[in-house]
mmCIF file of all heavy atoms in Angstrom:
data_model
loop_
_atom_site.group_PDB
_atom_site.id
_atom_site.type_symbol
_atom_site.label_atom_id
_atom_site.label_comp_id
_atom_site.label_asym_id
_atom_site.label_seq_id
_atom_site.Cartn_x
_atom_site.Cartn_y
_atom_site.Cartn_z
ATOM 1 N N SER A 64 -66.279 104.933 -43.380
ATOM 2 C CA SER A 64 -67.254 105.312 -44.390
ATOM 3 C C SER A 64 -66.681 105.150 -45.789
ATOM 4 O O SER A 64 -67.372 104.659 -46.707
ATOM 5 C CB SER A 64 -67.695 106.777 -44.201
ATOM 6 O OG SER A 64 -68.458 106.911 -43.065
ATOM 7 N N ILE A 65 -65.431 105.538 -45.965
ATOM 8 C CA ILE A 65 -64.785 105.362 -47.274
ATOM 9 C C ILE A 65 -64.706 103.871 -47.613
ATOM 10 O O ILE A 65 -65.050 103.467 -48.713
ATOM 11 C CB ILE A 65 -63.373 105.998 -47.276
ATOM 12 C CG1 ILE A 65 -63.440 107.512 -47.169
ATOM 13 C CG2 ILE A 65 -62.598 105.590 -48.547
ATOM 14 C CD1 ILE A 65 -62.126 108.203 -46.931
ATOM 15 N N LYS A 66 -64.293 103.100 -46.634
ATOM 16 C CA LYS A 66 -64.154 101.643 -46.813
ATOM 17 C C LYS A 66 -65.492 101.037 -47.215
ATOM 18 O O LYS A 66 -65.554 100.245 -48.179
ATOM 19 C CB LYS A 66 -63.662 101.062 -45.473
ATOM 20 C CG LYS A 66 -63.050 99.705 -45.547
ATOM 21 C CD LYS A 66 -62.308 99.358 -44.260
ATOM 22 C CE LYS A 66 -63.272 98.927 -43.198
ATOM 23 N NZ LYS A 66 -62.619 98.416 -42.012
ATOM 24 N N LEU A 67 -66.531 101.394 -46.532
ATOM 25 C CA LEU A 67 -67.852 100.850 -46.787
ATOM 26 C C LEU A 67 -68.411 101.300 -48.143
ATOM 27 O O LEU A 67 -68.874 100.487 -48.947
ATOM 28 C CB LEU A 67 -68.819 101.261 -45.650
ATOM 29 C CG LEU A 67 -70.278 100.818 -45.789
ATOM 30 C CD1 LEU A 67 -70.372 99.304 -45.594
ATOM 31 C CD2 LEU A 67 -71.132 101.515 -44.753
ATOM 32 N N ASN A 68 -68.363 102.605 -48.403
ATOM 33 C CA ASN A 68 -68.967 103.146 -49.614
ATOM 34 C C ASN A 68 -68.216 102.821 -50.893
ATOM 35 O O ASN A 68 -68.793 102.652 -51.945
ATOM 36 C CB ASN A 68 -69.141 104.681 -49.478
ATOM 37 C CG ASN A 68 -70.236 105.024 -48.493
ATOM 38 O OD1 ASN A 68 -71.389 104.646 -48.698
ATOM 39 N ND2 ASN A 68 -69.885 105.712 -47.434
ATOM 40 N N LEU A 69 -66.880 102.755 -50.801
ATOM 41 C CA LEU A 69 -66.056 102.462 -51.988
ATOM 42 C C LEU A 69 -65.661 100.994 -52.078
ATOM 43 O O LEU A 69 -65.027 100.600 -53.018
ATOM 44 C CB LEU A 69 -64.830 103.356 -52.013
ATOM 45 C CG LEU A 69 -65.092 104.870 -52.063
ATOM 46 C CD1 LEU A 69 -63.787 105.626 -52.103
ATOM 47 C CD2 LEU A 69 -65.962 105.240 -53.247
ATOM 48 N N LYS A 70 -66.007 100.251 -51.021
ATOM 49 C CA LYS A 70 -65.705 98.817 -50.978
ATOM 50 C C LYS A 70 -64.220 98.570 -51.189
ATOM 51 O O LYS A 70 -63.814 97.811 -52.070
ATOM 52 C CB LYS A 70 -66.563 98.043 -51.989
ATOM 53 C CG LYS A 70 -68.054 98.111 -51.683
ATOM 54 C CD LYS A 70 -68.869 97.452 -52.753
ATOM 55 C CE LYS A 70 -70.353 97.470 -52.495
ATOM 56 N NZ LYS A 70 -70.965 98.638 -52.062
ATOM 57 N N VAL A 71 -63.414 99.229 -50.348
ATOM 58 C CA VAL A 71 -61.977 99.094 -50.414
ATOM 59 C C VAL A 71 -61.437 98.685 -49.046
ATOM 60 O O VAL A 71 -62.166 98.714 -48.046
ATOM 61 C CB VAL A 71 -61.267 100.412 -50.863
ATOM 62 C CG1 VAL A 71 -61.663 100.756 -52.275
ATOM 63 C CG2 VAL A 71 -61.602 101.556 -49.910
ATOM 64 N N SER A 72 -60.190 98.283 -48.988
ATOM 65 C CA SER A 72 -59.578 97.876 -47.717
ATOM 66 C C SER A 72 -59.334 99.123 -46.835
ATOM 67 O O SER A 72 -59.351 100.249 -47.323
ATOM 68 C CB SER A 72 -58.257 97.182 -47.961
ATOM 69 O OG SER A 72 -57.275 98.118 -48.428
ATOM 70 N N GLU A 73 -59.085 98.873 -45.556
ATOM 71 C CA GLU A 73 -58.791 99.972 -44.651
ATOM 72 C C GLU A 73 -57.531 100.683 -45.066
ATOM 73 O O GLU A 73 -57.444 101.923 -45.054
ATOM 74 C CB GLU A 73 -58.663 99.463 -43.211
ATOM 75 C CG GLU A 73 -58.393 100.598 -42.257
ATOM 76 C CD GLU A 73 -58.945 100.369 -40.862
ATOM 77 O OE1 GLU A 73 -59.731 99.419 -40.671
ATOM 78 O OE2 GLU A 73 -58.625 101.139 -39.989
ATOM 79 N N VAL A 74 -56.514 99.934 -45.512
ATOM 80 C CA VAL A 74 -55.244 100.535 -45.931
ATOM 81 C C VAL A 74 -55.458 101.420 -47.158
ATOM 82 O O VAL A 74 -54.987 102.564 -47.193
ATOM 83 C CB VAL A 74 -54.200 99.435 -46.246
ATOM 84 C CG1 VAL A 74 -52.962 100.007 -46.901
ATOM 85 C CG2 VAL A 74 -53.814 98.690 -44.967
ATOM 86 N N GLU A 75 -56.193 100.935 -48.147
ATOM 87 C CA GLU A 75 -56.459 101.733 -49.337
ATOM 88 C C GLU A 75 -57.309 102.952 -48.984
ATOM 89 O O GLU A 75 -57.091 104.047 -49.490
ATOM 90 C CB GLU A 75 -57.198 100.872 -50.379
ATOM 91 C CG GLU A 75 -57.344 101.568 -51.720
ATOM 92 C CD GLU A 75 -57.998 100.673 -52.766
ATOM 93 O OE1 GLU A 75 -58.336 99.511 -52.485
ATOM 94 O OE2 GLU A 75 -58.167 101.174 -53.876
ATOM 95 N N SER A 76 -58.254 102.743 -48.092
ATOM 96 C CA SER A 76 -59.125 103.820 -47.638
ATOM 97 C C SER A 76 -58.315 104.945 -47.013
ATOM 98 O O SER A 76 -58.507 106.122 -47.314
ATOM 99 C CB SER A 76 -60.069 103.207 -46.590
ATOM 100 O OG SER A 76 -61.068 104.020 -46.240
ATOM 101 N N GLU A 77 -57.382 104.560 -46.139
ATOM 102 C CA GLU A 77 -56.587 105.532 -45.393
ATOM 103 C C GLU A 77 -55.478 106.160 -46.239
ATOM 104 O O GLU A 77 -55.305 107.371 -46.254
ATOM 105 C CB GLU A 77 -55.987 104.822 -44.180
ATOM 106 C CG GLU A 77 -55.374 105.748 -43.170
ATOM 107 C CD GLU A 77 -55.032 105.018 -41.875
ATOM 108 O OE1 GLU A 77 -55.286 103.799 -41.785
ATOM 109 O OE2 GLU A 77 -54.546 105.701 -40.985
ATOM 110 N N LEU A 78 -54.734 105.333 -46.928
ATOM 111 C CA LEU A 78 -53.530 105.818 -47.629
ATOM 112 C C LEU A 78 -53.812 106.421 -49.003
ATOM 113 O O LEU A 78 -53.030 107.233 -49.473
ATOM 114 C CB LEU A 78 -52.505 104.698 -47.768
ATOM 115 C CG LEU A 78 -51.988 104.135 -46.448
ATOM 116 C CD1 LEU A 78 -50.988 103.015 -46.706
ATOM 117 C CD2 LEU A 78 -51.354 105.221 -45.600
ATOM 118 N N TYR A 79 -54.882 106.024 -49.620
ATOM 119 C CA TYR A 79 -55.161 106.586 -50.971
ATOM 120 C C TYR A 79 -56.352 107.520 -50.967
ATOM 121 O O TYR A 79 -56.200 108.703 -51.247
ATOM 122 C CB TYR A 79 -55.380 105.449 -51.964
ATOM 123 C CG TYR A 79 -55.677 105.977 -53.350
ATOM 124 C CD1 TYR A 79 -54.672 106.585 -54.101
ATOM 125 C CD2 TYR A 79 -56.952 105.924 -53.851
ATOM 126 C CE1 TYR A 79 -54.954 107.126 -55.340
ATOM 127 C CE2 TYR A 79 -57.240 106.475 -55.094
ATOM 128 C CZ TYR A 79 -56.245 107.060 -55.836
ATOM 129 O OH TYR A 79 -56.534 107.605 -57.046
ATOM 130 N N HIS A 80 -57.521 107.017 -50.651
ATOM 131 C CA HIS A 80 -58.742 107.831 -50.813
ATOM 132 C C HIS A 80 -58.801 109.006 -49.852
ATOM 133 O O HIS A 80 -59.159 110.132 -50.253
ATOM 134 C CB HIS A 80 -59.985 106.939 -50.706
ATOM 135 C CG HIS A 80 -60.059 105.926 -51.781
ATOM 136 N ND1 HIS A 80 -60.365 106.244 -53.083
ATOM 137 C CD2 HIS A 80 -59.862 104.576 -51.766
ATOM 138 C CE1 HIS A 80 -60.353 105.146 -53.825
ATOM 139 N NE2 HIS A 80 -60.048 104.116 -53.049
ATOM 140 N N TYR A 81 -58.477 108.764 -48.589
ATOM 141 C CA TYR A 81 -58.496 109.861 -47.622
ATOM 142 C C TYR A 81 -57.505 110.949 -47.995
ATOM 143 O O TYR A 81 -57.814 112.118 -48.030
ATOM 144 C CB TYR A 81 -58.207 109.325 -46.206
ATOM 145 C CG TYR A 81 -58.249 110.386 -45.129
ATOM 146 C CD1 TYR A 81 -59.468 110.825 -44.626
ATOM 147 C CD2 TYR A 81 -57.088 110.954 -44.629
ATOM 148 C CE1 TYR A 81 -59.508 111.787 -43.630
ATOM 149 C CE2 TYR A 81 -57.143 111.914 -43.640
ATOM 150 C CZ TYR A 81 -58.339 112.337 -43.137
ATOM 151 O OH TYR A 81 -58.394 113.293 -42.172
ATOM 152 N N ASN A 82 -56.280 110.532 -48.319
ATOM 153 C CA ASN A 82 -55.246 111.502 -48.706
ATOM 154 C C ASN A 82 -55.610 112.231 -49.996
ATOM 155 O O ASN A 82 -55.332 113.423 -50.143
ATOM 156 C CB ASN A 82 -53.887 110.824 -48.829
ATOM 157 C CG ASN A 82 -53.313 110.485 -47.474
ATOM 158 O OD1 ASN A 82 -53.613 111.143 -46.496
ATOM 159 N ND2 ASN A 82 -52.509 109.449 -47.418
ATOM 160 N N SER A 83 -56.210 111.505 -50.928
ATOM 161 C CA SER A 83 -56.641 112.164 -52.174
ATOM 162 C C SER A 83 -57.707 113.227 -51.919
ATOM 163 O O SER A 83 -57.686 114.320 -52.521
ATOM 164 C CB SER A 83 -57.194 111.134 -53.173
ATOM 165 O OG SER A 83 -56.166 110.241 -53.567
ATOM 166 N N ALA A 84 -58.618 112.922 -51.017
ATOM 167 C CA ALA A 84 -59.663 113.865 -50.670
ATOM 168 C C ALA A 84 -59.065 115.119 -50.008
ATOM 169 O O ALA A 84 -59.435 116.247 -50.310
ATOM 170 C CB ALA A 84 -60.690 113.218 -49.749
ATOM 171 N N LEU A 85 -58.106 114.891 -49.095
ATOM 172 C CA LEU A 85 -57.437 116.040 -48.444
ATOM 173 C C LEU A 85 -56.698 116.899 -49.460
ATOM 174 O O LEU A 85 -56.725 118.122 -49.364
ATOM 175 C CB LEU A 85 -56.451 115.540 -47.378
ATOM 176 C CG LEU A 85 -57.059 115.057 -46.093
ATOM 177 C CD1 LEU A 85 -55.952 114.616 -45.131
ATOM 178 C CD2 LEU A 85 -57.921 116.104 -45.426
ATOM 179 N N LYS A 86 -56.070 116.262 -50.431
ATOM 180 C CA LYS A 86 -55.364 116.992 -51.463
ATOM 181 C C LYS A 86 -56.330 117.871 -52.273
ATOM 182 O O LYS A 86 -56.031 119.015 -52.584
ATOM 183 C CB LYS A 86 -54.629 116.027 -52.402
ATOM 184 C CG LYS A 86 -53.689 116.722 -53.367
ATOM 185 C CD LYS A 86 -53.032 115.752 -54.353
ATOM 186 C CE LYS A 86 -51.985 114.966 -53.623
ATOM 187 N NZ LYS A 86 -51.226 114.111 -54.540
ATOM 188 N N LEU A 87 -57.503 117.348 -52.579
ATOM 189 C CA LEU A 87 -58.523 118.124 -53.290
ATOM 190 C C LEU A 87 -59.011 119.322 -52.470
ATOM 191 O O LEU A 87 -59.187 120.420 -52.991
ATOM 192 C CB LEU A 87 -59.705 117.249 -53.686
ATOM 193 C CG LEU A 87 -59.462 116.261 -54.804
ATOM 194 C CD1 LEU A 87 -60.674 115.316 -54.950
ATOM 195 C CD2 LEU A 87 -59.160 116.972 -56.114
ATOM 196 N N VAL A 88 -59.228 119.089 -51.184
ATOM 197 C CA VAL A 88 -59.673 120.182 -50.303
ATOM 198 C C VAL A 88 -58.584 121.246 -50.221
ATOM 199 O O VAL A 88 -58.855 122.453 -50.345
ATOM 200 C CB VAL A 88 -60.004 119.637 -48.903
ATOM 201 C CG1 VAL A 88 -60.202 120.762 -47.907
ATOM 202 C CG2 VAL A 88 -61.235 118.739 -48.955
ATOM 203 N N LYS A 89 -57.330 120.823 -50.052
ATOM 204 C CA LYS A 89 -56.213 121.749 -49.985
ATOM 205 C C LYS A 89 -56.087 122.574 -51.278
ATOM 206 O O LYS A 89 -55.948 123.795 -51.220
ATOM 207 C CB LYS A 89 -54.927 120.963 -49.753
ATOM 208 C CG LYS A 89 -53.705 121.789 -49.582
ATOM 209 C CD LYS A 89 -52.495 120.877 -49.311
ATOM 210 C CE LYS A 89 -51.201 121.621 -49.382
ATOM 211 N NZ LYS A 89 -50.065 120.739 -49.226
ATOM 212 N N LYS A 90 -56.214 121.904 -52.397
ATOM 213 C CA LYS A 90 -56.144 122.589 -53.692
ATOM 214 C C LYS A 90 -57.267 123.613 -53.848
ATOM 215 O O LYS A 90 -57.056 124.725 -54.287
ATOM 216 C CB LYS A 90 -56.213 121.536 -54.818
ATOM 217 C CG LYS A 90 -55.978 122.076 -56.203
ATOM 218 C CD LYS A 90 -55.975 120.921 -57.185
ATOM 219 C CE LYS A 90 -55.720 121.403 -58.592
ATOM 220 N NZ LYS A 90 -55.712 120.282 -59.530
ATOM 221 N N SER A 91 -58.464 123.232 -53.394
ATOM 222 C CA SER A 91 -59.602 124.128 -53.468
ATOM 223 C C SER A 91 -59.387 125.360 -52.583
ATOM 224 O O SER A 91 -59.722 126.489 -52.964
ATOM 225 C CB SER A 91 -60.853 123.371 -53.016
ATOM 226 O OG SER A 91 -61.954 124.218 -52.988
ATOM 227 N N ILE A 92 -58.829 125.163 -51.395
ATOM 228 C CA ILE A 92 -58.565 126.271 -50.469
ATOM 229 C C ILE A 92 -57.510 127.213 -51.075
ATOM 230 O O ILE A 92 -57.668 128.440 -51.037
ATOM 231 C CB ILE A 92 -58.116 125.743 -49.089
ATOM 232 C CG1 ILE A 92 -59.303 125.050 -48.410
ATOM 233 C CG2 ILE A 92 -57.549 126.869 -48.234
ATOM 234 C CD1 ILE A 92 -58.911 124.266 -47.186
ATOM 235 N N TYR A 93 -56.437 126.657 -51.615
ATOM 236 C CA TYR A 93 -55.418 127.484 -52.246
ATOM 237 C C TYR A 93 -55.988 128.303 -53.391
ATOM 238 O O TYR A 93 -55.690 129.489 -53.531
ATOM 239 C CB TYR A 93 -54.233 126.639 -52.765
ATOM 240 C CG TYR A 93 -53.292 126.155 -51.697
ATOM 241 C CD1 TYR A 93 -52.695 124.932 -51.804
ATOM 242 C CD2 TYR A 93 -52.968 126.939 -50.604
ATOM 243 C CE1 TYR A 93 -51.800 124.469 -50.859
ATOM 244 C CE2 TYR A 93 -52.092 126.503 -49.633
ATOM 245 C CZ TYR A 93 -51.512 125.265 -49.771
ATOM 246 O OH TYR A 93 -50.646 124.828 -48.813
#
Side-chain angles (χ1 to χ4, degrees):
S64 290
I65 292 171
K66 199 167 79 172
L67 178 70
N68 289 300
L69 299 181
K70 296 174 179 46
V71 295
S72 70
E73 182 149 348
V74 170
E75 188 177 1
S76 190
E77 192 169 0
L78 298 179
Y79 179 71
H80 296 288
Y81 182 79
N82 287 332
S83 294
L85 285 180
K86 188 183 286 186
L87 288 173
V88 169
K89 182 179 170 184
K90 188 176 181 179
S91 176
I92 291 168
Y93 283 145

